[in-house]
Every structure is written in structure tokens, then in C-alpha cells.
Amino acid sequence: MATGGVLAYKVPAEPNRHRIALWRKLKGMGAVYLQNGVCLLPKTDEHRRALKLIDNEISEMGGESILLDSAPLDQAQAEKIVARFRAERDEAYRELLDRCDDFEAEIAKEIASDHYSYAEIEENDLDLKKLKAWFEKIQRLDFYGCKARPCGSRTIGQLRDAIGRLRQRDVLTAG
């Protein structure tokens, strides 16, 4: 059953940057917001430590917070919780896959037009590294194994292969 840590908090509206930084930090950990100021994370030692640190940060901001352990009332509630986490990760995977599709189309266009240079290939390598890092970040937050995870992995591999073909063409045309 999906157990988790719940953080309920209220922070001063100003300065706004503190509130935004807190939200980003929690989202960066993979938190799912149940409503404004109430979020849930899977129960892990890492999350427990991080939430305690965040609890201290909220106090330093002049805010209030409560940390709770939670467990769903039944299997149906557990499934709702897991579905919320999966929905957020699925959305992240979709965004990544859309960007990968754009990138793949760009590479295909370069191959089809025979318009590429060493500098463009290096730029493509850098873009691929960014996409891989984004994918790895989503994977770290994919606590319940989303269906889109294998698609992301396969797509990153296809992009790596496409850049390899582009690099191979560059070597052949340079020789």
C-alpha cells in the first residue's frame, strides 16, 4: 500500500521568491500537491530527512508547517495516490518525448539535406546530453513505474543512434 509523508504548510506571501523556491524544491523531489500548501511524497528515508529540513526552512521564513506520516484507508485510496504520482510523471515523460520528437525531426532534416557541420554535431551532442539528464531526473521521480518510462528510454537511444549516423556521414564526407 502507498504510504507517504504529508507536508502541510503556510508561508508568508512576501517575499514571493521564498514561496516559489519552496514549491520548486518540493516539486523537484517529486511531491504531489493535494491542494495549495499540502503535498505528499512517498515514504522513504531520503524524503523524511528532506521534509525535516524543509520544515526548518519554513520556520525560518516565518511560516508554519506540519509533517505527518500517512497511509491510505484502503486499496482504492492507495490506487488513487499512485495514480496521482503516475499522472505527474506521465506528463513529464510526454513533455520530454515531445521535445525528443522535435529533436529527432531536426536531425532527420539535417541528414536529408546533407546540411551539417562538426559544430552542429557537437551542438546535437550537447542537446542529447540535456535530454538524457532530463530523462534521468524524471526516472528518479518515477516512484511507481510509469508506462511511458520505456518509451523515454527507447527514444533517447534512438536519438543517440541518429546522432551517430550524422557523425558517421560527417566522417565519410570529410574523407
Side-chain angles (χ1 to χ4, degrees):
M1 203 173 286
T3 62
V6 175
L7 171 65
Y9 67 91
K10 183 170 44 172
V11 294
E14 296 298 327
N16 193 28
R17 63 181 156 71
H18 292 304
R19 195 167 27 88
I20 292 169
L22 176 62
W23 180 85
R24 284 184 178 150
K25 184 179 287 188
L26 288 162
K27 292 300 278 184
M29 293 168 53
V32 169
Y33 273 79
L34 304 175
Q35 64 181 24
N36 284 337
V38 180
C39 61
L40 175 69
L41 280 160
K43 188 175 181 178
T44 67
D45 289 339
E46 181 181 342
H47 287 148
R48 181 181 295 269
R49 283 189 298 274
L51 286 173
K52 285 182 181 180
L53 291 172
I54 289 171
D55 182 50
N56 291 335
E57 287 179 34
I58 291 170
S59 292
E60 289 170 10
M61 287 181 212
E64 303 171 9
S65 59
I66 297 174
L67 294 171
L68 303 167
D69 278 334
S70 72
L73 293 177
D74 56 30
Q75 188 59 36
Q77 293 301 311
E79 288 170 10
K80 283 183 184 180
I81 291 168
V82 170
R84 291 282 300 270
F85 279 102
R86 284 185 175 149
E88 292 213 6
R89 295 300 77 78
D90 279 337
E91 178 60 29
Y93 281 124
R94 271 192 296 281
E95 288 178 35
L96 172 70
L97 290 170
D98 286 347
R99 178 60 189 108
C100 287
D101 288 346
D102 295 344
F103 185 56
E104 189 171 28
E106 181 181 317
I107 292 171
K109 183 177 159 186
E110 289 175 9
I111 290 173
S113 69
D114 269 350
H115 180 68
Y116 41 85
S117 66
Y118 178 78
E120 288 171 323
I121 292 171
E122 291 299 310
E123 185 178 324
N124 288 337
D125 282 340
L126 183 59
D127 289 343
L128 179 60
K129 284 179 186 174
K130 289 177 185 176
L131 290 170
K132 284 173 66 175
W134 185 8
F135 176 65
E136 290 166 2
K137 181 178 180 182
I138 296 169
Q139 277 186 304
R140 281 192 305 276
L141 302 179
D142 187 358
F143 307 117
Y144 298 102
C146 290
K147 292 179 183 175
R149 177 186 265 185
C151 294
S153 182
R154 189 170 43 254
T155 300
I156 294 293
Q158 290 168 344
L159 291 173
R160 186 185 59 245
D161 294 346
I163 290 174
R165 288 191 303 277
L166 194 59
R167 191 175 293 286
Q168 182 65 27
R169 285 180 154 222
D170 183 51
V171 168
L172 292 174
T173 57

